[in-house]
Amino acid sequence: MAVTGDETESAATGDIPAYQLRSPNSSLAQSIVLAESPSNMQSPSSQHAEEITRKREVRLMKNREAARECRRKKKEYVKCLENRVAVLENQNKTLIEELKSLKDIYCHKAE
DNA sequence: AAAACTATCCGTCACAGTTA
DNA sequence: TAACTGTGACGGATAGTTTT
């Protein structure tokens, strides 16, 4: 398993952008509730936290879409390769047949 | 019928590569 | 060089299939 470095450790060292950090309660519903609460009567620090949460949600949403698109493209690519394999197999079969009949013709001439 | 196995899909994370 | 994007890897959920 190559992936899965310790997130908490990296976070402590500041390697990860703030919006990628896991919030204590990272469920989507909770985040949306947070994002929708009025911001004008909040302390600067909670506004900042809210901004981080919002950025994280945006990032997750974009990445979700990106992953879908990436998988769609990959499937298409595999389908193309499979089609190409089928075409080449047919060509190969045809060429083998052609070679066989040319050999036949050549053998009969040689007699 | 239920448990065990397999295949497929999805969301997320981490990271390399790209862009402004 | 910070922000963004594309993608491999992982783990959970669900559905379908096989085994007991």
Side-chain angles (χ1 to χ4, degrees):
Chain A
M1 206 222 284
V3 190
T4 315
D6 188 352
E7 225 172 72
T8 346
E9 193 187 330
S10 315
T13 60
D15 290 349
I16 299 175
Y19 64 86
Q20 283 193 355
L21 296 178
R22 240 187 235 285
S23 53
N25 187 341
S26 67
S27 79
L28 187 61
Q30 178 74 12
S31 304
I32 288 170
V33 168
L34 273 178
E36 283 176 348
S37 58
S39 58
N40 55 351
M41 51 201 291
Q42 290 179 351
S43 67
S45 68
S46 76
Q47 279 184 31
H48 182 242
E50 199 177 291
E51 176 69 2
I52 287 171
T53 303
R54 193 189 62 79
K55 281 186 176 173
R56 178 181 151 78
E57 291 306 328
V58 168
R59 162 66 190 161
L60 288 181
M61 201 176 69
K62 281 186 176 178
N63 192 243
R64 209 175 297 140
E65 292 296 321
R68 277 199 203 115
E69 178 64 9
C70 185
R71 284 169 185 142
R72 191 192 61 76
K73 277 166 65 184
K74 190 173 180 178
K75 265 190 177 176
E76 204 174 284
Y77 174 68
V78 168
K79 213 183 272 177
C80 278
L81 286 182
E82 285 169 350
N83 283 343
R84 184 154 170 73
V85 166
V87 166
L88 290 174
E89 277 175 352
N90 277 337
Q91 277 182 8
N92 197 34
K93 214 184 279 177
T94 307
L95 288 171
I96 286 171
E97 288 303 315
E98 198 179 325
L99 178 61
K100 211 164 145 191
S101 55
L102 286 173
K103 273 181 179 171
D104 273 356
I105 292 170
Y106 178 77
C107 285
H108 282 116
K109 271 193 175 172
E111 282 168 8

